[in-house]
Amino acid sequence: MTFTIRPAVRGKIGLLFGIAGASGSGKTFSALTLAEGIKGDGGKIAVIDTEAGRALHYAPKPGDKADPSKGTFDFLHLDFPAPFTPQRYIEAIQAAEQAGATVIVIDSMSHEWDGEGGCSDMAEQAAIAAATDRNGTFHAWKVESMTAPSWKKPKQAHKRMMARLIQTRTHLIFCLRAQEKIKFEKVVDEKTGKAKTEIRHLGFMPICEKSFMFELSGSMTMHPETPGEPRYDLPRKLNHELQAIFSAGERITFDKGIRLRHWAETGEDRPPVDHDAENARDLVEAIQDADQEKLQRITSNPKTIQFRKYLSENRTDLAERVDLAVQAALDGFSSEDDDGEIAA
């Protein structure tokens, strides 16, 4: 593999912006207000709604026109019921993009981690399955030992989702639920010298994978006491330029959305989409997820054979990734008999 080195030049990005908050903190309204400023002339907002249609509270009544100054917005609505798997979030975003959305609000992203069918649920179900024997008898004592390995697939699914989000060209705003966290600490009483347990309040923390908020372009957390305002005493990721846009104590406004779009779109154009790389990535993931029978079908499919031949002649770097994925899968099936052989 060769590396390309050139002078660093700022480039345009697709925004990944997170707004976390407890109920009543104004995160949905703030997200729509930002989206209204980001979309610009001719842009379109879409809302991916995991909250049973709650986003529709911000839509105009039949026959009325949207008026952001009065709390109503013009947007496409995508109802997103469970299961909230990482892959379905990607599919929902792709559907919104195909509908013409230029800025997408995902409300709520917390379900990907802590909702029905989300990563935590996937891990729990995997642990239960692993603790159930072939006769269908569940052994509760096995669950704890199965917890760590049960997280392998959910974490892989989350990583795949993040890789796709980072590559998106559409501006994305994520709303996340937040809950108040506490920590029990043992301290020594200065008067008696005896140990005692105290409760330390950590404030509102976003419900998501632990590094999610910090992998975004920017993020903030709001508090019900100061709805619509970024709180600098709560988890956030705002560089000096974003801090100039989102000052502590100032409510989110349409103008801040315009400034955020300008920040994201300042720089040279991004290179065109590498469709070969995207297709190779999809093939590698299909190979990684396949059982032996499915892998046989994938590798013997004429389209797959033709695509791998094209890669070997034109994109050797991608061809190598596919070859390695196939070999890794074959190694995993090494216990199979010769009748189940799969051609690499």
Side-chain angles (χ1 to χ4, degrees):
M1 179 180 179
T2 58
F3 296 93
T4 301
I5 300 177
R6 66 182 181 91
V9 178
R10 177 165 174 162
K12 297 177 181 179
I13 63 169
L15 276 168
L16 302 177
F17 200 84
I19 302 177
S23 178
S25 61
K27 56 184 180 293
T28 303
F29 179 77
S30 298
L32 284 166
T33 300
L34 277 183
E36 189 69 27
I38 292 169
K39 75 174 186 179
D41 296 333
K44 227 181 243 190
I45 300 172
V47 176
I48 296 173
D49 186 352
T50 71
E51 303 276 4
R54 290 183 187 177
L56 294 174
H57 296 161
Y58 298 95
K61 295 179 181 178
D64 290 351
K65 288 187 177 181
D67 185 351
S69 67
K70 296 181 179 179
T72 60
F73 302 85
D74 184 14
F75 59 89
L76 303 171
H77 182 260
L78 189 156
D79 186 47
F80 184 8
F84 301 111
T85 63
Q87 178 59 32
R88 290 195 73 228
Y89 270 87
I90 292 300
E91 291 169 2
I93 290 170
Q94 290 172 341
E97 289 175 330
Q98 291 167 7
T102 56
V103 54
I104 302 172
V105 175
I106 299 95
D107 188 12
S108 158
M109 195 64 198
S110 292
H111 287 88
E112 182 265 342
W113 195 251
D114 199 39
E116 181 182 346
C119 290
S120 297
D121 203 14
M122 291 166 66
E124 181 181 359
Q125 293 304 314
I128 292 173
T132 303
D133 63 27
R134 293 180 180 180
N135 297 320
T137 303
F138 172 66
H139 302 281
W141 59 272
K142 286 187 177 181
V143 172
E144 187 174 347
S145 63
M146 294 295 111
T147 298
S150 71
W151 272 100
K152 181 179 179 180
K153 286 189 175 180
K155 286 183 177 180
Q156 181 185 53
H158 178 79
K159 285 178 64 177
R160 288 178 179 177
M161 180 194 72
M162 292 307 302
R164 282 168 166 74
L165 293 179
I166 291 169
Q167 295 299 319
T168 188
R169 311 247 165 165
T170 309
H171 297 310
L172 305 178
I173 303 176
F174 304 96
C175 295
L176 299 103
R177 296 178 176 183
Q179 60 186 12
E180 195 163 14
K181 295 281 189 179
I182 60 173
K183 184 177 181 181
F184 293 95
E185 292 184 336
K186 287 188 176 181
V187 297
V188 177
D189 189 296
E190 294 181 356
K191 294 182 178 179
T192 64
K194 295 181 179 181
K196 63 178 182 177
T197 301
E198 288 188 351
I199 297 175
R200 183 160 68 94
H201 292 271
L202 303 177
F204 283 95
M205 308 290 285
I207 300 174
C208 57
E209 191 274 335
K210 62 183 179 180
S211 62
F212 177 81
M213 294 287 275
F214 298 97
E215 292 188 36
L216 306 182
S217 314
S219 61
M220 64 177 67
T221 305
M222 297 177 173
H223 196 286
E225 293 177 354
T226 52
E229 299 177 8
R231 290 282 291 258
Y232 277 44
D233 59 332
L234 296 175
R236 69 191 188 283
K237 177 190 174 183
L238 298 171
N239 65 19
H240 69 283
E241 292 176 298
L242 293 177
Q243 287 179 38
I245 299 173
F246 301 104
S247 300
E250 291 185 4
R251 291 178 67 90
I252 301 297
T253 60
F254 169 81
D255 177 66
K256 294 183 186 297
I258 296 175
R259 293 173 64 188
L260 185 59
R261 182 187 73 228
H262 178 73
W263 175 78
E265 297 181 354
T266 296
E268 67 177 15
D269 290 335
R270 299 173 73 178
V273 176
D274 188 341
H275 293 292
D276 288 343
E278 290 189 345
N279 292 333
R281 177 195 61 200
D282 292 342
L283 177 57
V284 166
E285 291 182 358
I287 291 168
Q288 291 172 338
D289 294 339
D291 56 23
Q292 189 168 2
E293 182 180 346
K294 187 174 181 180
L295 184 60
Q296 174 71 62
R297 292 198 302 270
I298 292 172
T299 56
S300 62
N301 185 297
K303 289 185 178 180
T304 302
I305 294 171
Q306 183 180 6
F307 181 55
R308 292 180 70 183
K309 183 175 184 294
Y310 165 80
L311 292 181
S312 66
E313 294 173 351
N314 300 277
R315 298 292 300 273
T316 55
D317 57 328
L318 299 178
E320 183 179 359
R321 290 186 203 174
V322 176
D323 292 344
L324 289 172
V326 172
Q327 190 57 55
L330 289 172
D331 291 343
F333 302 138
S334 59
S335 61
E336 298 289 341
D337 59 31
D338 292 340
D339 292 337
E341 284 187 1
I342 301 169

